[in-house]
Amino acid sequence: MAGFYERHVFSPVLKLAERTLADVRRELLSQASGEVLEIGVGSGLSLSHYGPAVERIVGLEPSEILMDECRECVGSHHEGPPVELVQAGAEAMPFEDNRFDTMVAFLVFCTIPEADRAALEMARVLKPGGRLLFFEHVAAREPGLARWQQRLNPFWKPLACGCNINRDTRRVFERAGFDMSNIEVRRHPDIPLPLVQPVIEGNTGLRAAVSGQSSRSGTGRRH
């Protein structure tokens, strides 16, 4: 049942949402460069938006159904840098330390079961001086909307393949060492549903002290 829902309901809904957010995605991903790791690559909606500065794309995706769709996308439509697809969760990435120049998280952290672990993994595999490009909906700051998100999240989550509308992803990134000091929490005019507002969007890196610790850690995974 879950697989049917993921293939025939959730995936088409994502593609419908892409019509609204395609410009946002294109603008964000135009800033990517070097070797890129996209967390939750899904069915491959981002692949056509990467610019010429990208040398290689690694797409991480835990869902076998979405991974199959992404393979079809790469095989039939993709023109651009080489793409490697890895089926794995973001909480234990099978990559060595300090590998990637750019990390991408686009409306994915709401669904990751252990978001804090995944953010720490991003910090681990990002090169010193590397960049995190992100667009995520987060928990509301207005008390009224925040209460509704809390009440409705248990019902929303199974309908939206694990999406948590009450997750404070800004704080998740901050706890992992990313510099969120200039990142605003704001409403986005292209998202009509209040429950998945507000959002955070930006291009940031690790705080200097954290980046230095990561480069010296030497604890990388190699699978």
Side-chain angles (χ1 to χ4, degrees), residues 121-144:
E121 281 288 85
M122 288 201 307
R124 179 182 67 78
V125 302
L126 186 65
K127 286 181 179 178
R131 308 301 295 176
L132 168 63
L133 310 179
F134 59 91
F135 182 89
E136 297 283 347
H137 67 84
V138 297
R141 293 186 169 182
E142 303 97 319

Side-chain angles (χ1 to χ4, degrees), residues 109-177:
F109 259 79
C110 59
T111 65
I112 296 175
E114 297 179 73
D116 280 287
R117 282 186 60 190
L120 287 170
E121 281 288 85
M122 288 201 307
R124 179 182 67 78
V125 302
L126 186 65
K127 286 181 179 178
R131 308 301 295 176
L132 168 63
L133 310 179
F134 59 91
F135 182 89
E136 297 283 347
H137 67 84
V138 297
R141 293 186 169 182
E142 303 97 319
L145 179 54
R147 283 195 295 271
W148 276 110
Q149 288 176 331
Q150 286 291 118
R151 290 169 183 161
L152 294 177
N153 194 65
F155 307 98
W156 174 274
K157 185 176 176 179
L159 292 175
C161 285
C163 170
N164 292 277
I165 50 178
N166 60 348
R167 177 167 288 170
D168 191 349
T169 300
R170 186 182 188 280
R171 292 294 304 277
V172 170
F173 289 166
E174 206 166 44
R175 287 193 294 268

Side-chain angles (χ1 to χ4, degrees), residues 9-201:
V9 179
F10 189 63
S11 182
V13 166
L14 290 179
K15 291 173 182 175
L16 182 63
E18 174 66 7
R19 298 178 189 175
T20 301
L21 296 173
D23 289 342
V24 175
R25 193 187 294 265
R26 187 178 301 109
E27 166 97 19
L28 184 69
L29 299 187
S30 68
Q31 303 170 62
S33 63
E35 187 173 25
V36 176
L37 175 62
E38 181 171 347
I39 308 299
V41 69
S43 60
L45 294 174
S46 291
L47 297 179
S48 63
H49 295 311
Y50 286 103
V54 173
E55 300 168 2
R56 179 181 178 83
I57 302 167
V58 178
L60 190 72
E61 174 57 50
S63 164
E64 184 176 355
I65 290 172
L66 292 178
M67 182 62 77
D68 287 344
E69 292 187 19
C70 195
R71 289 191 187 102
E72 292 177 12
C73 175
V74 171
S76 58
H77 303 298
H78 180 66
E79 296 179 4
V83 177
E84 176 189 355
L85 299 177
V86 178
Q87 187 173 346
E91 297 94 336
M93 299 184 194
F95 309 118
E96 65 269 23
D97 294 355
N98 309 321
R99 171 173 169 177
F100 295 98
D101 302 285
T102 306
M103 310 285 300
V104 172
F106 196 99
L107 294 179
V108 65
F109 259 79
C110 59
T111 65
I112 296 175
E114 297 179 73
D116 280 287
R117 282 186 60 190
L120 287 170
E121 281 288 85
M122 288 201 307
R124 179 182 67 78
V125 302
L126 186 65
K127 286 181 179 178
R131 308 301 295 176
L132 168 63
L133 310 179
F134 59 91
F135 182 89
E136 297 283 347
H137 67 84
V138 297
R141 293 186 169 182
E142 303 97 319
L145 179 54
R147 283 195 295 271
W148 276 110
Q149 288 176 331
Q150 286 291 118
R151 290 169 183 161
L152 294 177
N153 194 65
F155 307 98
W156 174 274
K157 185 176 176 179
L159 292 175
C161 285
C163 170
N164 292 277
I165 50 178
N166 60 348
R167 177 167 288 170
D168 191 349
T169 300
R170 186 182 188 280
R171 292 294 304 277
V172 170
F173 289 166
E174 206 166 44
R175 287 193 294 268
F178 290 95
D179 183 3
M180 304 298 286
S181 57
N182 294 319
I183 304 301
E184 295 182 359
V185 178
R186 65 183 182 88
R187 288 186 172 270
H188 197 283
D190 294 333
I191 300 179
L193 189 62
L195 282 176
V196 288
Q197 292 270 22
V199 302
I200 54 172
E201 176 182 7

